Amino acid sequence: MENTKKQGNLANPLILQSEELYKYILATSVYPREPEPLKELRKATAPQPLAYFGTSPDAGQLIAMFLKIVNAKKTIEIGVFTGYSLLLTALTIPDDGKITAIDVDRTKYEIGLPIIQKSGVEHKINFIESRALPILDELLQDPKNEGSFDFAFVDADKVNYWNYHERMMKLVKVGGIIIYDNTLWGGYVALPEEDVPEKKRAWRQSTIEFNNSISSDSRVEISHASVGDGVLICRRIC
């Protein structure tokens, strides 16, 4: 999720406590390289009340690099919103690549859909309007799906992150990458609970528990990156 101080109490604070430094990174390293369709989708998302739900462009840049490193062709995305990370993935993978994209709200996806269509990559996307767990379990009923995904991106309800992770460990191949968004929760994970706004405490606690569980998971190599609202990068090793 993209986070700027412009959203006030709705968004998490910046991980980088200097807004000027974050703007410098965006202006110097991110925006000049951001593909035009992504710029257009980001601007189309900006007027939305929950615009900060969108993947931050600096996190998107990192995701694109990992997609290329693993030569991803078959990917899965949990949580789509208006489709910034989805479009980014579709632009990055080969023309015959496929993305299984799951979200409970198609109306938000349709904000970005015209841009996806104009970009000529809609044929790569299988959008499923549903809660994610039933779809993941349905995929796992077919043994051919086990270990068949090269890459996964998860940006959805934090209370289910570990449930998603257990299923990703079966769906994503050994050597594949799974990236979880919002895993530093605006820095709130490092603060005493009394210093965290009450409405954010439950999700903060879920995030802390998930991070601790991943840290102990011998099935993955991990790296935490402080881009956007924090991303946890996992490489499946067994």
Side-chain angles (χ1 to χ4, degrees):
M1 296 179 184
E2 184 172 0
N3 293 281
T4 70
K5 292 184 179 179
K6 291 181 180 179
Q7 279 86 36
N9 292 330
L10 286 175
N12 287 337
L14 294 168
I15 296 295
L16 292 174
Q17 293 303 304
S18 167
E19 186 171 6
E20 290 72 23
L21 178 57
Y22 186 58
K23 287 180 178 178
Y24 172 81
I25 292 170
L26 292 175
T28 304
S29 304
V30 180
Y31 290 154
R33 292 173 173 262
E34 185 180 34
E36 285 303 318
L38 292 177
K39 290 183 191 290
E40 186 178 354
L41 199 154
R42 177 165 54 83
K43 291 176 181 177
T45 302
Q48 299 299 312
L50 298 176
Y52 62 90
F53 274 20
T55 302
S56 65
D58 54 326
Q61 190 178 59
L62 183 65
I63 290 168
M65 188 176 294
F66 275 104
L67 285 164
K68 293 173 183 176
I69 288 171
V70 300
N71 294 315
K73 186 174 181 179
K74 184 180 180 183
T75 77
I76 189 164
E77 181 161 332
I78 303 173
V80 173
F81 193 50
T82 60
Y84 187 93
S85 55
L86 180 59
L87 175 56
L88 180 148
T89 301
L91 290 169
T92 305
I93 65 175
D95 192 60
D96 59 346
K98 295 296 178 185
I99 309 164
T100 299
I102 311 167
D103 198 291
V104 295
D105 185 2
R106 184 179 176 87
T107 61
K108 297 295 189 295
Y109 168 61
E110 288 178 347
I111 293 170
L113 183 56
I115 301 167
I116 291 171
Q117 292 170 332
K118 185 170 66 173
S119 303
V121 294
E122 187 186 10
H123 66 282
K124 303 181 189 181
I125 298 168
N126 175 26
F127 179 88
I128 303 170
E129 185 177 24
S130 172
R131 292 184 299 111
L133 289 176
I135 301 301
L136 299 178
D137 289 339
E138 183 179 324
L139 288 171
L140 285 168
Q141 289 177 11
D142 184 351
K144 293 180 181 178
N145 286 323
E146 293 194 17
S148 69
F149 290 86
D150 305 304
F151 180 92
F153 180 60
V154 181
D155 183 8
D157 51 320
K158 314 312 167 198
V159 295
N160 271 314
Y161 264 28
W162 186 255
N163 291 325
Y164 298 144
H165 183 69
E166 287 292 354
R167 288 154 177 83
M168 291 302 107
M169 287 297 94
K170 297 175 183 177
L171 290 168
V172 174
K173 70 180 184 181
V174 173
I177 298 290
I178 308 132
I179 296 183
Y180 297 95
D181 202 6
N182 313 119
T183 50
L184 296 179
W185 206 232
Y188 286 133
V189 292
L191 296 180
E193 184 173 286
E194 58 268 22
D195 293 341
V196 177
E198 189 171 351
K199 63 182 180 181
K200 292 182 177 289
R201 290 179 184 177
W203 277 29
R204 165 193 172 272
Q205 186 59 36
S206 295
T207 303
I208 290 172
E209 292 171 3
F210 174 72
N211 289 341
N212 290 340
S213 296
I214 287 286
S215 180
S216 302
D217 189 351
S218 61
R219 298 169 296 180
V220 292
E221 296 173 329
I222 65 171
S223 178
H224 235 135
S226 57
V227 296
D229 195 19
V231 295
L232 181 57
I233 304 156
C234 300
R235 177 178 176 269
R236 185 183 171 195
I237 58 176
C238 66

